[in-house]
Amino acid sequence: LLASSAASDVYKRQDELICGAAECIEASIGRKGQTFRIGGDEFVVFAGMTQKQVESTLLELKHTTEK
């Protein structure tokens, strides 16, 4: 029972991290595109952006995740 509780805590924390990552990605993308979770911790973004916009968005995402 104790091991089951510990495993449950790990999965809950993992879910919190994945949800946090999704929120950071969506905050950085905003209305510029759509974010989808395609697997465990894998996301894909569809957006119509120039290379410069992509670079700016990735930089914004990096700063968001460092907070």
Side-chain angles (χ1 to χ4, degrees):
L1 184 61
L2 189 55
S4 175
S5 177
S8 177
D9 290 346
V10 168
Y11 287 119
K12 181 180 178 188
R13 180 67 180 142
Q14 183 180 22
D15 286 346
E16 291 171 353
L17 291 171
I18 291 170
C19 288
E23 290 172 5
C24 287
I25 294 168
E26 289 176 344
S28 295
I29 298 302
R31 295 181 167 265
K32 297 177 268 187
Q34 291 185 300
T35 305
F36 301 92
R37 181 175 173 199
I38 59 171
D41 61 354
E42 299 170 335
F43 296 88
V44 65
V45 173
F46 290 111
M49 292 191 259
T50 65
Q51 182 65 32
K52 191 169 188 97
Q53 290 171 316
V54 170
E55 290 169 1
S56 174
T57 300
L58 289 174
L59 186 60
E60 180 181 336
L61 178 59
K62 180 180 178 187
H63 291 306
T64 300
T65 59
E66 290 175 346
K67 292 180 182 176

